[in-house]
Amino acid sequence: MSSTPKKRWLPIGIALGVLCLVAAVMLRPKAPVNESYDRARLVEVMPLERAPLAPEISAFGRVEPKRVWQAVAELGGPVRYRNPQLEAGRLLPKGALLLEIEPLEFELRLAQARADRNAAAAQLTRLSQNENNLQASLELEQGRLQLTQAETERKQSLKQRSLISDSELDNQQQSLLAQRKLVQELENQLQLLPDDRQVAQAQLKVAEASVADAERRLSQTRVTMPFDGRVAEVSVETGQVVSANQVMVTLHGIDQMEIEVAVALHDMQRLLGSHSEDALRNRALSLQAEVQLDSGELSVNWDAEVVRIRESVDPNQATVGVVLLVKQDYQQLDLAQRPPLVKDLFVTARIRGPEREQVVVPSRALRGERLYLMDQQSRLRIEPVEVLYRRGDQVAVRGALPSDVDLVLNDLLPAVPGMLLRTEAEQ
């Protein structure tokens, strides 16, 4: 019964304690507050400026020789000679003899063709000499005809005076007719000579063509290097009988190499978009390129030329083929520092468009598709932009950007438009 009064006073004590605590908090003096103080954020800025920047894309491809030449047998026969240096991978100079097919049969054909040509030429010479002879004979016989005609006229006059007999006059007239016949035959022979000459000239041309064909066929027994190049493949041996249209040797040119790279359509649009409308209308593209080889610690670059763009698009990858050309001179190559480009070498290609003046910002200043700007009042402005292209750490953007503002480089969390900013120089 004695503990009951204590329990009654316990709630009253707790209530008085809470009341005293609330009163102490409410009656505590407040700390002085500076109402003009604003928590300005420290930022790093740079001027927002326009600068020339060229779009650049990267693509990959394999090296292929621009010139690939196959020695196809134009005639059949046994291989009499094969160059000892004719091995895959060897470099051979222009004009080097590679293979020779047995030429005996074709040498005989050439000798026969030359004999026929000489015979046709001799026939034409004989016709010319015969014409000269006939012309001289005709002149002589025509002179005799005039004499015979005069003698006949004289005897006719004598006959009228009965000084000669009829038989003597008849004999003279027969001599005149015989002389006229001889002159007529000579004239007929001379008239036929132009036709005979045309036939002889045609025969001579046929003979000369046969000689040229025999010489060409004989030259086809020898296979020589058409240019300085590398032997890619050899498929014949000495003594082997080859047939017409058989591929004997495959050669690769070494002075010009091509690389076809697959460029995405949006990357191609980026390159073309950096050109002016006049350049696109006149198809005067200004693209620069370089090829890079990376292998371990080795990194080598070659200047390249964009020579053509393929006519079709890969429907599976949505890419278009761009062909690059690299020229190289083996005589000036330092093989210890710069290896030559060879077939199937995997390289990286970088293609650049022309430079155009754009708003260029560092990539670390881009916040998605927005930029943080600090205006003249040191207040934050957030502006949307369109990313045109990137090149390294630089980004070309486009948007309705104000002037006389600075670009904020570092990130702000949270970023509230209008918030007060400060820089190191303002501290």
Side-chain angles (χ1 to χ4, degrees), residues 320-393:
V320 62
V322 178
V323 181
L324 309 180
L325 177 67
V326 177
K327 298 180 180 179
Q328 57 184 0
D329 187 351
Y330 265 65
Q331 296 181 353
Q332 298 181 0
L333 283 179
D334 184 1
L335 299 181
Q337 300 295 330
R338 180 187 293 271
L341 288 175
V342 296
K343 178 178 169 61
D344 291 333
L345 196 63
F346 189 77
V347 294
T348 302
R350 294 185 177 88
I351 306 175
R352 292 183 298 274
E355 288 186 343
R356 297 190 68 179
E357 192 173 86
Q358 307 280 358
V359 177
V360 180
V361 301
S363 59
R364 67 188 185 99
L366 190 63
R367 314 298 169 199
E369 295 185 351
R370 299 182 303 169
L371 292 179
Y372 293 169
L373 306 176
M374 187 176 74
D375 60 15
Q376 296 297 315
Q377 289 75 36
S378 298
R379 297 285 179 175
L380 176 65
R381 298 185 59 171
I382 302 177
E383 298 291 342
V385 293
E386 177 187 356
V387 177
L388 299 178
Y389 49 85
R390 300 173 183 265
R391 183 175 177 184
D393 293 334

Side-chain angles (χ1 to χ4, degrees), residues 122-313:
Q123 176 65 21
L124 188 61
T125 303
R126 282 195 297 269
L127 286 176
S128 298
Q129 185 63 40
N130 190 26
E131 182 181 11
N132 294 333
N133 295 338
L134 288 175
Q135 188 66 40
S137 298
L138 179 61
E139 292 176 358
L140 291 175
E141 298 301 330
Q142 285 177 342
R144 289 180 180 179
L145 178 60
Q146 292 177 359
L147 292 176
T148 304
Q149 180 70 32
E151 181 65 19
T152 301
E153 292 175 355
R154 186 181 69 83
K155 288 187 175 182
Q156 287 177 347
S157 177
L158 292 176
K159 178 65 175 67
Q160 290 176 358
R161 291 179 289 174
S162 300
L163 296 178
I164 60 174
S165 63
D166 292 338
S167 60
E168 188 175 353
L169 179 60
D170 293 340
N171 290 335
Q172 183 60 39
Q173 289 179 342
Q174 289 180 359
S175 299
L176 177 62
L177 293 176
Q179 189 62 33
R180 285 178 177 175
K181 179 180 179 182
L182 181 58
V183 170
Q184 185 64 43
E185 289 177 350
L186 291 174
E187 290 177 348
N188 292 339
Q189 292 180 18
L190 285 173
Q191 291 177 356
L192 294 176
L193 282 179
D195 295 335
D196 294 340
R197 182 180 291 106
Q198 289 181 358
V199 173
Q201 290 175 344
Q203 291 175 346
L204 179 60
K205 289 182 179 180
V206 171
E208 290 176 344
S210 298
V211 171
D213 181 68
E215 290 175 344
R216 180 183 63 84
R217 299 288 287 177
L218 181 61
S219 67
Q220 290 172 353
T221 61
R222 297 170 58 89
V223 180
T224 58
M225 287 287 294
F227 48 78
D228 295 341
R230 186 188 304 275
V231 180
E233 184 180 356
V234 183
S235 58
V236 295
E237 297 291 341
T238 302
Q240 178 181 343
V241 177
V242 298
S243 58
N245 300 323
Q246 178 181 343
V247 178
M248 300 180 292
V249 181
T250 302
L251 304 175
H252 290 167
I254 57 176
D255 57 341
Q256 295 182 353
M257 309 300 287
E258 288 186 343
I259 304 99
E260 181 175 348
V261 296
V263 178
L265 292 180
H266 62 275
D267 287 338
M268 181 59 66
Q269 183 182 16
R270 185 187 310 166
L271 291 176
L272 298 179
S274 61
H275 290 76
S276 64
E277 294 184 359
D278 292 339
L280 294 177
R281 187 180 303 110
N282 298 326
R283 299 182 180 179
L285 300 183
S286 176
L287 299 176
Q288 299 178 349
E290 66 175 5
V291 175
Q292 180 174 345
L293 170 65
D294 293 313
S295 178
E297 298 180 355
L298 177 65
S299 181
V300 186
N301 293 337
W302 291 268
D303 292 333
E305 177 186 357
V306 179
V307 292
R308 62 185 182 275
I309 299 175
R310 291 295 187 185
E311 74 285 354
S312 59
V313 175

